Amino acid sequence: MAQLTPARTDRTKVRWWRGAVLGIAAVYFVVPLAAAGYFSIDDPQGYSLEAYTGLLSAPGFLDSLWLTLGLAVVTVLVLLLLLVPALIAVRLGAPKLRPVIDVLCTLPLVVPPVALTAGLIGVLRWGPDYLMDTPFFQTFVFVQDPDFPVVLVIAYVLMGLPLAYRALDAGLRAVDVRTLVEAARNCGASWPRAVFTVVLPNLRGALLNASFLTLALVLGEFTAASILGYQPFPVWIYTVGNSQAHMSVAVSILSLLITWLLLLLLATLGRERHAKTTS
């Protein structure tokens, strides 16, 4: 019993510090949100919910919101389709290429979004001048379609590449991919079945983390979309803020809630899938 007393005291100290850190974090996040919420309903004549009730009828609100959600979904799919097969193939067939893949995937971290967007603008301006009489000209027109600007997906994929790569690489480091695939192959599974039914279920956490980070990046990205002249949700919020400050703050709060709701939905789907596979 004499040896248990110091350990119990240490655990009490750890719990006290955990509570203090959580309290500081809560104040750090809740106070600005509460202040923003108060500002959005503050009115010279009292309180008003007009900033929230007028959102659905605000010009461009739904269009920009659906555009951003569509861009986020496509960006997540493109990143996963690019990274997952490449990283698994490197683990199985060419482990010496891992440093090369690491450098290539983390390279966008050292390129500022402004420089990246300037490069995209240069390519978009160069293409029509030299490819006007070729079938490739329609490609430049297609990627700049205002209804769904694929050029933004390209920019978001480059920006989200380091985040998604780090999340997937961490998941792959925790799994012995070669042993799992060889075991499945010895049991008679084909290569695609071994990957889809054995490897990917073990990467569920990494896939969700990569999707979380990419989704959060796209929902909050402003620089590339603004410079390229498109109006997804963050740019629309900025535009509204120039004339309607209360509605701009209300939309910002709504944007945070949508982001948290989507992240919570993805996490819930991941836990339900995990519970079904383990039951």
Side-chain angles (χ1 to χ4, degrees):
M1 292 297 292
Q3 295 179 351
L4 294 177
T5 303
R8 189 174 300 172
T9 304
D10 291 342
R11 285 198 296 270
T12 304
K13 289 181 179 177
V14 171
R15 289 173 182 173
W16 184 85
W17 278 107
R18 286 179 180 175
V21 171
L22 287 176
I24 294 172
V27 170
Y28 180 80
F29 285 105
V30 171
V31 170
L33 283 176
Y38 177 78
F39 175 78
S40 65
I41 62 174
D42 188 29
D43 188 83
Q45 299 177 352
Y47 299 101
S48 172
L49 295 176
E50 185 179 355
Y52 295 91
T53 57
L55 279 178
L56 291 178
S57 60
F61 170 73
L62 289 177
D63 292 339
S64 60
L65 178 60
W66 289 121
L67 175 60
T68 301
L69 293 178
L71 291 171
V73 171
V74 175
T75 303
V76 170
L77 291 177
V78 171
L79 273 174
L80 294 182
L81 289 175
L82 284 176
L83 284 176
V84 173
L87 295 181
I88 292 177
V90 168
R91 297 270 171 176
L92 293 176
K96 291 183 179 179
L97 289 179
R98 284 177 57 186
V100 177
I101 298 295
D102 187 82
V103 171
L104 290 176
C105 291
T106 55
L107 192 60
L109 284 176
V110 300
V111 181
V114 175
L116 175 64
T117 309
L120 288 173
I121 291 175
V123 173
L124 294 176
R125 288 178 178 172
W126 169 84
D129 293 338
Y130 292 92
L131 303 174
M132 178 68 74
D133 299 328
T134 68
F136 294 104
F137 175 74
Q138 292 301 324
T139 303
F140 285 88
V141 176
F142 172 73
V143 299
Q144 299 179 75
D145 185 358
D147 293 333
F148 192 84
V150 180
V151 65
L152 281 185
V153 175
I154 297 172
Y156 294 159
V157 166
L158 292 173
M159 292 179 190
L161 189 61
L163 304 176
Y165 168 73
R166 285 302 179 196
L168 293 173
D169 185 60
L172 285 169
R173 287 177 186 274
V175 176
D176 191 343
V177 178
R178 182 180 292 276
T179 301
L180 289 175
V181 172
E182 289 178 354
R185 294 282 293 164
N186 290 335
C187 292
S190 61
W191 278 100
R193 186 175 182 182
V195 171
F196 280 99
T197 61
V198 178
V199 177
L200 291 185
N202 285 282
L203 294 177
R204 184 182 303 105
L207 294 172
L208 285 174
N209 288 336
S211 302
F212 290 165
L213 295 173
T214 306
L215 186 66
L217 182 144
V218 175
L219 293 179
E221 203 287 327
F222 173 82
T223 305
S226 177
I227 295 176
L228 289 171
Y230 298 105
Q231 197 174 62
F233 205 46
V235 179
W236 185 83
I237 293 174
Y238 172 77
T239 304
V240 171
N242 291 330
S243 57
Q244 303 179 60
H246 289 77
M247 181 173 288
S248 175
V249 174
V251 174
S252 299
I253 295 174
L254 181 64
S255 176
L256 276 176
L257 294 177
I258 291 174
T259 304
W260 291 343
L261 183 63
L262 291 175
L263 297 182
L264 183 63
L265 179 63
L266 286 175
T268 304
L269 291 176
R271 282 198 295 268
E272 288 180 354
R273 177 70 176 170
H274 178 69
K276 288 180 180 178
T277 54
T278 55
S279 62

